Amino acid sequence: MTAARQPHHGPVMHLPGTPAGLLARTVQRTRRHSDGTHRVVLQQGKRHRDKHVDLLASTPPDPAVLAATLSEGRKGDRSFILGSSTRTWSAVKARFADNAWPRAIGLARAGAITVRCEVTDDLTLGAPIRWHLTTAGRGQARLYSEGRTASREHTTATLERARHKIKDLGELPAGIDHDDLQRLDDALARELNRPTPAPKRTAILAALAHDIGAGRRHASPRAFSLAHTRNTKTWDDAIRILRESGVPSALAEAVGLRRSSRLGLAGPVTVLVGGRQSPLDELGVVLLPAGTTGLRLDLRSRNLIFVENLQAAEALSELLAPSGEPPAILYHAGMPSHEILTHITALADQAAHIAIAPDADLGGTRIATAIWNSLTQTTQKRTVICDIGMTPTHTPQEPWPPDSPVWADLRTMLSSPAATLAFGCLTRGYPVEQEGCIVDAMTAHLQTEAGA
């Protein structure tokens, strides 16, 4: 942050419209002279008419009040306020929208900024132009910058230790493949490459890597949170964060965050194990351990649909089973493990039309990409990655915050096989989960395939 020269303030102007707790000090035009001093510019022996004032606190800043005011608002506000010595009013409006003026006044009263405003021809307070950090504000900015630097160094060390922990493991936990570990390493590397790594996601990824490297298994997701944060609820969303990061479910299972790796099957599929054949027609969604020795799947339908949520698979099965040519459905529980991807590849090789239909969010784009990349080039030509968010019946969710790393991550997915899905997510600005619209989305997809 470049330090700005403080303006030369003249006397207080008593302007109608000046908020309580603030003074409107004139901003005088000055010129630097050869002796280093600044003198007020005169025109025909008189000062120019005051066209601007700075609103500043009428009392010295209280450190406690200043700290509390800077902590208000949503994530990223402090970084915006302290990240530059000057902010134009257009930038302030873009950040705070309708709350821009109240937020600026609150910061000015706390002593963090001064607000530059116009003076109207009838000598009332005019429109804001920009704000400047005060001396106290610049002090807070310096402390904030130093804290971010220290935090970044700590985060970098944490991520590097985590990558080292899973590198060249002598013995892999049951159900884990080297490809699964590579995806965890990729997730850790993405955090390292972020301008500002997300602290919670970094901590969860690092804890997962540490537990895998140490061969540690927890009794439940809450036990995992308790072991690493001393609180059972701190990481209640650990599974969601791992999914969005592209971490296979097998790794979460290995440390006790999920039950053993299972896949669900419904429709015209025959399961073959140990020489026995078991048709699954009319049985709904049947859950099978993905690591069953000798497990083979035979497809007896032209259409195959991959979904990531069990409830979505059940809803599809109930609706489509009575139809003349029901599709086969495979449920893969989020990011599929290496074992599940093996079954996905084998089943897809037998289908004429394949639909990959995950949740329409960041995790879904990573899942769709992983499944697509597991297919042969020939099978990819028969495969479509569906954006379930295109259905008009879906329920809009809470939008992602403007400063959420989800936006940047989705933009990187625009160069992936799931580019259309990523573009849809970016356009909507919020996630779409399968439960509310998977039936409509897949019905429309199958009708399109039938008419092609």
Side-chain angles (χ1 to χ4, degrees):
M1 181 182 67
T2 303
R5 180 174 63 85
Q6 292 299 291
H8 184 84
H9 285 141
V12 173
M13 291 187 74
H14 299 284
L15 300 177
T18 301
L22 299 179
L23 299 176
R25 297 286 298 272
T26 58
V27 181
Q28 298 179 336
R29 293 178 57 187
T30 61
R31 179 180 294 120
R32 184 184 179 89
H33 285 253
S34 57
D35 60 0
T37 62
H38 287 83
R39 300 178 187 174
V40 176
V41 176
L42 302 178
Q43 186 176 33
Q44 297 179 349
K46 299 179 180 179
R47 286 195 306 110
H48 290 271
R49 185 181 80 77
D50 298 315
K51 296 183 178 180
H52 301 98
V53 291
D54 278 348
L55 302 181
L56 62 159
S58 58
T59 58
D62 181 322
V65 173
L66 177 56
T69 303
L70 289 171
S71 299
E72 294 173 354
R74 67 180 191 271
K75 180 182 175 183
D77 283 357
R78 181 190 290 264
S79 179
F80 176 84
I81 295 165
L82 301 178
S84 177
S85 59
T86 302
R87 293 289 188 191
T88 64
W89 192 250
S90 59
V92 175
K93 283 284 290 182
R95 177 71 196 182
F96 298 106
D98 293 340
N99 196 43
W101 180 246
R103 189 77 166 107
I105 296 308
L107 289 166
R109 286 175 178 147
I113 63 169
T114 61
V115 184
R116 179 71 51 86
C117 295
E118 295 176 341
V119 177
T120 66
D121 290 339
D122 56 356
L123 298 182
T124 61
L125 187 67
I129 301 171
R130 56 184 173 272
W131 78 31
H132 300 271
L133 289 180
T134 62
T135 300
R138 292 198 307 277
Q140 289 290 321
R142 183 171 58 255
L143 292 174
Y144 181 67
S145 176
E146 292 171 353
R148 283 170 62 91
T149 299
S151 176
R152 174 71 203 205
E153 291 173 351
H154 173 74
T155 297
T156 298
T158 298
L159 290 168
E160 288 176 344
R161 284 195 302 270
R163 297 186 73 187
H164 180 74
K165 198 74 179 179
I166 60 173
K167 183 180 180 182
D168 301 326
L169 281 179
E171 183 177 351
L172 297 181
I176 288 181
D177 184 271
H178 283 290
D179 290 343
D180 297 328
L181 280 185
Q182 182 59 55
R183 287 194 205 159
L184 174 55
D185 186 68
D186 291 343
L188 291 165
R190 278 194 294 271
E191 289 305 308
L192 271 172
N193 293 329
R194 292 184 196 278
T196 308
K200 188 174 187 178
R201 182 169 51 210
T202 293
I204 290 173
L205 288 170
L208 177 66
H210 177 83
D211 288 345
I212 290 172
R216 187 178 187 185
R217 184 177 177 83
H218 303 274
S220 67
R222 288 196 167 183
F224 173 74
S225 178
L226 179 64
H228 292 285
T229 71
R230 299 185 180 182
N231 188 300
T232 59
K233 298 181 180 180
T234 306
W235 289 351
D236 269 353
D237 53 354
I239 292 176
R240 177 187 62 79
I241 288 174
L242 293 175
R243 173 185 170 276
E244 288 184 351
S245 300
V247 175
S249 57
L251 299 183
E253 292 153 9
V255 300
L257 294 184
R258 303 183 78 126
R259 287 185 286 179
S260 59
S261 182
R262 300 181 302 171
L263 68 154
L265 295 163
V269 178
T270 298
V271 176
L272 297 94
V273 181
R276 291 186 301 176
Q277 298 185 12
S278 301
L280 302 183
D281 312 59
E282 311 296 334
L283 296 179
V285 179
V286 178
L287 299 177
L288 301 173
T292 301
T293 303
L295 174 63
R296 199 175 91 232
L297 306 174
D298 280 356
L299 179 66
R300 293 178 284 104
S301 175
R302 291 174 53 80
N303 291 296
L304 175 62
I305 301 173
F306 297 129
V307 296
E308 64 166 301
N309 297 322
L310 179 57
Q311 293 84 356
E314 291 172 336
L316 276 178
S317 175
E318 290 174 7
L319 178 80
L320 300 176
S323 64
E325 294 185 35
I329 301 165
L330 186 147
Y331 148 71
H332 49 79
M335 177 61 73
S337 65
H338 176 78
E339 287 178 334
I340 293 179
L341 284 174
T342 300
H343 294 301
I344 283 175
T345 303
L347 204 58
D349 283 344
Q350 306 169 54
H353 306 290
I354 302 107
I356 302 172
D359 287 342
D361 58 12
L362 173 59
T365 64
R366 296 202 195 283
I367 289 168
T369 299
I371 293 176
W372 177 278
N373 289 338
S374 75
L375 306 179
T376 65
Q377 290 185 355
T378 302
T379 304
Q380 287 173 353
K381 295 176 182 178
R382 310 192 300 270
T383 302
V384 175
I385 296 176
C386 300
D387 179 3
I388 63 167
M390 294 294 290
T391 56
T393 56
H394 81 265
T395 302
Q397 302 295 303
E398 191 72 21
W400 293 300
D403 49 7
S404 170
V406 167
W407 295 98
D409 283 2
L410 280 171
R411 284 191 287 270
T412 66
M413 300 304 292
L414 292 175
S415 59
S416 75
T420 301
L421 175 56
F423 180 78
C425 294
L426 287 166
T427 301
R428 286 184 293 272
Y430 55 81
V432 179
E433 297 179 348
Q434 294 183 332
E435 285 79 359
C437 58
I438 189 66
V439 170
D440 289 344
M442 290 300 95
T443 300
H445 167 74
L446 292 172
Q447 289 174 346
T448 300
E449 289 292 342

